[in-house]
Amino acid sequence: MDSIRVVGGTELNGRIPIAGAKNACLTLMPATILSDEPLTLTNAPRLSDIRTMTALLQSLGAEVASLQGGQVLALSSHDLSNLHADYDIVRKMRASILVLGPMLARHGQAVVSLPGGCAIGARPVDLHLKALEAMGRNWNCARAISMPARPRAGCAARSSTSPSSRSGPRKTR
């Protein structure tokens, strides 16, 4: 087994800042789509995937500001103007699919190009689509996943602190 051996009479001492987890940040960033309220993420990693998700959210009409050298992200989706996630951005990163659910929850419709950007090969997004089917949503797929509009009843996102919210999966019609 490989090892590192430290030789010397001096005790190691100091502080090393640890950046936040990329996948946690990528999952939280699209949550801004669910609300008109601002969202602030701290300890964000400074990585290309975070910049790609920033560009995707901005293309949808969200405001994203990078503060404190990129370690703090301030996001706001009070004025979303686009319900089509563009292929030129989505193709760069598989995590782009994460905007589909929030767009559907808030606006009742969405079009998200099929994602790319996976260095370890093609990985399907079928789990996302199966979850949406389980909630009663139909989808079309050619070059993009299209969730057509339908009546808003039951599609609105609910806050987990709301007295009327329920835990667990919920089927909408």
Side-chain angles (χ1 to χ4, degrees):
M1 179 163 96
D2 292 334
S3 63
I4 298 174
R5 184 174 180 199
V6 178
V7 180
T10 307
E11 180 180 301
L12 296 177
N13 187 333
R15 290 179 176 243
I16 300 172
I18 305 297
K22 175 190 82 164
N23 289 337
C25 192
L26 288 174
T27 302
L28 291 169
M29 289 176 73
T32 188
I33 296 170
L34 293 170
S35 174
D36 285 336
E37 298 296 319
L39 171 68
T40 302
L41 300 176
T42 59
N43 200 26
R46 292 171 287 190
L47 301 169
S48 63
D49 283 356
I50 302 302
R51 289 188 293 275
T52 300
M53 182 62 79
T54 295
L56 177 57
L57 291 171
Q58 289 172 332
S59 77
L60 297 173
E63 297 174 17
V64 183
S66 181
L67 310 170
Q68 298 180 13
Q71 290 186 310
V72 174
L73 298 174
L75 304 99
S76 175
S77 294
H78 65 275
D79 191 27
L80 284 184
S81 56
N82 183 12
L83 298 177
H84 184 102
D86 186 43
Y87 174 74
D88 287 334
I89 300 171
V90 172
R91 71 179 174 83
K92 298 176 184 176
M93 182 180 62
R94 183 174 177 265
S96 299
I97 193 72
L98 296 174
V99 300
L100 179 61
M103 286 170 56
L104 187 59
R106 182 166 175 189
H107 297 286
Q109 61 182 324
V111 176
V112 178
S113 297
L114 292 173
C118 185
I120 63 174
R123 290 191 286 168
V125 295
D126 61 323
L127 292 177
H128 297 274
L129 300 177
K130 285 179 183 177
L132 294 171
E133 283 178 353
M135 291 186 280
R137 291 307 309 247
N138 295 322
W139 52 273
N140 301 313
C141 183
R143 293 179 133 192
I145 300 164
S146 177
M147 305 298 285
R150 67 175 195 171
R152 301 276 303 170
C155 288
R158 292 182 178 213
S159 166
S160 61
T161 58
S162 167
S164 65
S165 68
R166 298 185 304 187
S167 61
R170 188 181 105 149
K171 188 169 185 174
T172 59
R173 291 236 175 242

